[in-house]
Amino acid sequence: LVLLQSVVSWLHRRSRPDVSPRGLIWNQGDSDSSDDETSEPADLVEEVSDGEDDDMVFRKGEDEEPLEYVPHPDPQTYLAPDGTHWTNVVPPDGRRKECMACAKLQQRRFGGPTRSTKINTFVATMSRKRFWALMRFLRYNDFETREERRSTDKLAAIREFLEKLLINIYHIYEPSEYLVVDEMLIPFRGRCFCIVYMTSKPDRYGLKVWALVVVRLNFVLNFQIYTGKEGPAPEVNQGFRVLMDMLNKFLNTGRGVTADNVFGLKRAAERLAEQNTSSVFTIRKQRREVPKDVIQHAKFPLHSSLFLFHDNCMMVSYKAKPNKMVLVMSTQHRRPQVMVNPPKKPAIILHYNSTKGGVDTVDQMISHKFCQRKTNRWPVTIWLHLLNIVGGINTPIMFLEM
C-alpha cells in the first residue's frame, strides 16, 4: 500500500504543470527569472491615467458585450421624497475624476494560475463508531464560563472559534479587486434561537449568514451569523450595519463591492465612496432617495434606460419587462452606456450580473463536496458548514494560487 501511494504521488507530480512560486497577488517585476514561460508579462499591470477611458479600468463584465452611448436627453431634474435632486445630465470629466480616484486598486489587472480547482478526495480511515464518538464530545469553548458569556453574546458557544478563524483568513489571503456581500443559509431544523425561513433558498429553514466573497475565485473572506432580535423592536438599518461590518477590514483599499437591495442605500454608497471603495447596488423602489417619476412603467418604452446623477452617484432605471423596472445605483460607473444589441442592458447591470453570484457559487460548490452531518446541536452545524467553506473552498484556492 505504501509503495502504491508513492507511485501515485510521483505520477501526480509529473502531471502537475509548472507554476512559478508567486504571491497571492501577481505584481510586475517580482521575479528575477529571465525565462519567457515563467516571467511576468510586461502588460500585466497597467497604469491608467485619469484621462483614459473607463473601459480599461472597469473591464469586468463590460468587455463581453459591445457598448454604445445613449442619446443625450434634454436637461431635467428629478426630486426624490428625501429631498435629493437627481439630474439626467452627464457630469463633466472633472467630476468623473473623483470617481476614478476610488478605483486605485481596480486599475490593476489581477492575474494568477489558471489550473483546475479540482482536488483529490481520500477515503477517511476511521470507523463510524469512532467518528460519532468524537462528534458527541466535540466542544468549541469553556463550558464552565459559557452561561456567563451567553448573557452578553448569543454565540458564546462558538464565538472563540469564529474569531480565530477570521483572524487567520485576514492574515493569510489578500483579495482581488471585486467583492460581493450576500446572504447564505445553513440548513438546520433543530432547536435554536435564530431559526429563519427564506423562500429564496432550497432548504428554506436554517441559520442565516451574511458572507463576503471574492468575485474572481469565490474565496470567502468574512461572515457574520444572524442572531435574531437584540431587543423588543427589530433592528433599524440592519443592511447598512452589516455591510460596513463586512467591509471593515477592506476599506480605503480601492476595491469595489456589489450587493443586492437588502444593502442598497444611497447613504451606504456615499459612505463607501468617502472611504475609497466603489459600490454597485440594486435599489428598492420604496426607498426615499428614488424619485417617483423613474418607476412609472407606462412612461418608458421596453428595454429603455434613464440615467440620473447626483454628486458621485449614478442611478439607472431600466425597463426589463412591460411591468418591471430595475433600479441600480453605482459610484463606480460615470458614463451612460448600454448594449448595442437588444435587450440593450446598461453597463451597470452587466457589471452587476457578472459580480453578484459569488455567494451563490459558494453554496453550489459546497453542495458538491459536502461534509455536513445530521445533528441537533447548532454549534456543530455551524462548525461543519465552516469546515465545508475553509476545507473545501478556501484551502484549495490558496494552494493553487501559492
Side-chain angles (χ1 to χ4, degrees), residues 223-277:
F223 50 85
Q224 188 175 121
I225 302 174
Y226 173 70
T227 58
K229 295 181 180 179
E230 298 295 337
E235 182 180 1
V236 180
N237 295 328
Q238 184 184 76
F240 177 77
R241 192 266 305 169
V242 172
L243 181 66
M244 301 308 295
D245 290 345
M246 290 285 102
L247 299 172
N248 185 30
K249 300 289 185 179
F250 308 100
L251 297 176
N252 295 308
T253 58
R255 291 181 170 87
V257 61
T258 304
D260 59 9
N261 53 22
V262 177
F263 313 94
L265 288 171
K266 182 174 177 292
R267 182 164 64 98
E270 293 176 346
R271 179 72 64 86
L272 292 175
E274 293 174 358
Q275 303 189 38
N276 195 21
T277 303

Side-chain angles (χ1 to χ4, degrees), residues 132-149:
W132 287 116
L134 295 177
M135 292 290 293
R136 179 182 177 185
F137 299 103
L138 192 61
R139 297 293 184 274
Y140 312 96
N141 69 332
D142 188 2
F143 180 76
E144 297 180 355
T145 61
R146 181 186 299 178
E147 292 299 329
E148 180 181 355
R149 290 180 285 109

Side-chain angles (χ1 to χ4, degrees), residues 104-376:
K104 181 179 180 181
L105 186 98
Q106 295 168 355
Q107 293 176 0
R108 301 176 54 183
R109 293 176 57 191
F110 288 83
T114 58
R115 290 192 296 161
S116 174
T117 57
K118 182 179 179 181
I119 60 176
N120 296 324
T121 305
F122 299 95
V123 180
T125 58
M126 183 186 304
S127 64
R128 182 187 297 268
K129 185 176 180 180
R130 172 65 174 170
F131 172 77
W132 287 116
L134 295 177
M135 292 290 293
R136 179 182 177 185
F137 299 103
L138 192 61
R139 297 293 184 274
Y140 312 96
N141 69 332
D142 188 2
F143 180 76
E144 297 180 355
T145 61
R146 181 186 299 178
E147 292 299 329
E148 180 181 355
R149 290 180 285 109
R150 186 181 293 176
S151 60
T152 58
D153 185 8
K154 294 182 179 180
L155 297 177
I158 200 172
R159 176 66 69 184
E160 184 178 357
F161 170 77
L162 296 178
E163 292 179 351
K164 291 182 178 180
L165 178 62
L166 289 177
I167 290 175
N168 290 335
I169 293 176
Y170 293 152
H171 290 170
I172 292 175
Y173 190 81
E174 181 70 19
S176 58
E177 69 272 38
Y178 291 107
L179 310 176
V180 57
V181 180
D182 203 355
E183 300 172 341
M184 65 172 56
L185 187 70
I186 304 177
F188 184 71
R189 285 181 175 265
R191 296 178 59 184
C192 185
F193 54 87
C194 55
I195 295 293
V196 299
Y197 175 78
M198 301 179 66
T199 57
S200 60
K201 302 297 181 180
D203 297 294
R204 302 297 178 91
Y205 289 93
L207 307 175
K208 184 169 69 172
V209 179
W210 294 291
L212 177 67
V213 177
V214 181
V215 173
R216 187 169 66 91
L217 292 175
N218 304 312
F219 188 94
V220 181
L221 285 174
N222 196 357
F223 50 85
Q224 188 175 121
I225 302 174
Y226 173 70
T227 58
K229 295 181 180 179
E230 298 295 337
E235 182 180 1
V236 180
N237 295 328
Q238 184 184 76
F240 177 77
R241 192 266 305 169
V242 172
L243 181 66
M244 301 308 295
D245 290 345
M246 290 285 102
L247 299 172
N248 185 30
K249 300 289 185 179
F250 308 100
L251 297 176
N252 295 308
T253 58
R255 291 181 170 87
V257 61
T258 304
D260 59 9
N261 53 22
V262 177
F263 313 94
L265 288 171
K266 182 174 177 292
R267 182 164 64 98
E270 293 176 346
R271 179 72 64 86
L272 292 175
E274 293 174 358
Q275 303 189 38
N276 195 21
T277 303
S278 61
S279 58
V280 178
F281 301 139
T282 53
I283 303 295
R284 293 176 179 173
K285 293 182 288 187
Q286 296 82 7
R287 298 292 187 187
R288 291 181 54 83
E289 59 263 27
V290 178
K292 299 299 182 181
D293 296 336
V294 303
I295 58 177
Q296 297 179 5
H297 309 291
K299 294 180 58 176
F300 303 98
L302 187 63
H303 298 158
S304 62
S305 301
L306 175 63
F307 294 86
L308 302 179
F309 302 89
H310 176 76
D311 292 341
N312 58 350
C313 296
M314 181 174 76
M315 181 170 61
V316 59
S317 176
Y318 172 69
K319 190 171 183 178
K321 297 180 180 180
N323 294 324
K324 182 178 180 180
M325 301 293 294
V326 179
L327 299 176
V328 184
M329 181 182 296
S330 173
T331 59
Q332 172 177 312
H333 304 78
R334 302 300 292 169
R335 295 188 177 184
Q337 292 179 316
V338 298
M339 294 171 52
V340 175
N341 302 320
K344 290 188 173 295
K345 292 182 180 180
I348 302 179
I349 295 182
L350 295 178
H351 173 86
Y352 178 85
N353 293 338
S354 63
T355 58
K356 179 58 176 62
V359 178
D360 296 333
T361 305
V362 169
D363 288 336
Q364 184 180 10
M365 295 171 68
I366 290 176
S367 65
H368 293 307
K369 295 187 178 294
F370 197 64
C371 67
Q372 201 84 10
R373 295 295 180 268
K374 183 178 179 180
T375 178
N376 291 328

Side-chain angles (χ1 to χ4, degrees), residues 90-109:
V90 181
D93 291 340
R95 183 177 295 181
R96 187 177 66 87
K97 293 179 181 179
E98 298 177 2
C99 179
M100 295 286 289
C102 300
K104 181 179 180 181
L105 186 98
Q106 295 168 355
Q107 293 176 0
R108 301 176 54 183
R109 293 176 57 191

